[in-house]
Amino acid sequence: MGVHEKLRVLDHIYRVYDGFIAGRETACRRKCARCCTRNVTLTTLEAYKIAVHLVDSGKSGLFGKLAAAVDVPRFIPRVTTNALADICLRGEEPPEEPNDPDWGGCPLLDDGECPLYAVRPYGCRCMVSARRCDDAGFAEMDPFVVTVNNVILQYIEHIDRDGWTGNLTDLLLFMASEESRRRYRDGAPDHPPGGLIRNHPVRALMVPPRHRQQIAPLIAALENVPPASAPGG
């Protein structure tokens, strides 16, 4: 699957999730940015989509904001979502992954707003809360929403299974280079830059028994990718 087809499927996944979450009551509002930390992760596919948007929209200066924050502590994942599913299937303990929200806000935030909101990665889209995070001190999610979030993370990683996962800062700085974007379009290099980890295909979805019937329509919607439009269509 070429990068343009991957992006088309990614956009379909985003639409399915947007439709799902629109039907649920959340406290998320404009400038509610407590969950916008520097610990967001994403895939190379999502980073490519964002980087192309920044370049095409004349916002390349935002790469400089990321570069200025590159020495600040942030979450560096050790396992991907699908790798975690494999670990659980084997009955093993996942590695500990230090993650502290007090490391600070996303370096891209501008007065509490996201300058790439329209193309934000799924790691940002899925951070929804039933109550204001400022009031509770954390995001309050229904267990079924957590299950849906995990499943969609698995799907996105599976689409980009030849790519990598990493922190938003690291992956966007990698994709800031036209050469990196070209190499990704042509097929991801064999060895990822430091701080990134290899993606994995889906082997089993992380759906607890109590949610299997409830999530079935959403999985069907994810699988029902519309056919590509004809050129000029």
Side-chain angles (χ1 to χ4, degrees), residues 14 49 53 114-120 125:
Y14 284 171
K49 176 183 177 72
H53 169 79
C114 175
L116 49 80
Y117 186 81
V119 292
R120 67 199 186 282
R125 292 170 189 264

Side-chain angles (χ1 to χ4, degrees), residues 138-218:
F138 56 88
E140 183 179 291
M141 290 190 196
D142 179 274
F144 180 63
V145 173
V146 175
T147 294
V148 168
N149 289 348
N150 285 333
V151 165
I152 293 184
L153 284 169
Q154 289 190 263
Y155 267 79
I156 293 173
E157 181 184 343
H158 181 80
I159 295 167
D160 196 32
R161 55 190 175 275
D162 294 327
W164 313 305
T165 285
N167 185 280
L168 181 143
T169 293
D170 299 315
L171 262 174
L172 283 187
L173 286 177
F174 172 68
M175 285 294 179
S177 159
E178 169 57 32
E179 174 63 15
S180 294
R181 297 195 298 275
R182 183 194 64 76
R183 292 178 66 192
Y184 178 69
R185 286 193 301 270
D186 294 344
D190 292 335
H191 301 289
L196 306 185
I197 52 176
R198 176 67 70 181
N199 288 338
H200 295 263
V202 169
R203 303 188 195 282
L205 293 176
M206 295 193 293
V207 180
R210 68 184 184 277
H211 291 157
R212 287 175 184 168
Q213 184 174 356
Q214 189 178 3
I215 204 173
L218 185 134

Side-chain angles (χ1 to χ4, degrees), residues 75-172:
F75 174 58
I76 307 295
R78 296 180 181 174
V79 294
T80 67
T81 307
N82 286 335
L84 176 62
D86 292 344
I87 289 171
C88 293
L89 278 175
R90 296 194 299 268
E92 300 173 0
E93 287 293 323
E96 292 188 8
E97 297 187 293
N99 191 342
D100 189 344
D102 290 335
W103 284 335
C106 175
L108 295 178
L109 280 178
D110 183 8
D111 191 26
E113 294 190 293
C114 175
L116 49 80
Y117 186 81
V119 292
R120 67 199 186 282
Y122 186 71
C124 300
R125 292 170 189 264
C126 71
M127 281 303 297
V128 296
S129 180
R131 291 194 298 164
R132 281 180 50 84
C133 298
D134 285 336
D135 297 336
F138 56 88
E140 183 179 291
M141 290 190 196
D142 179 274
F144 180 63
V145 173
V146 175
T147 294
V148 168
N149 289 348
N150 285 333
V151 165
I152 293 184
L153 284 169
Q154 289 190 263
Y155 267 79
I156 293 173
E157 181 184 343
H158 181 80
I159 295 167
D160 196 32
R161 55 190 175 275
D162 294 327
W164 313 305
T165 285
N167 185 280
L168 181 143
T169 293
D170 299 315
L171 262 174
L172 283 187

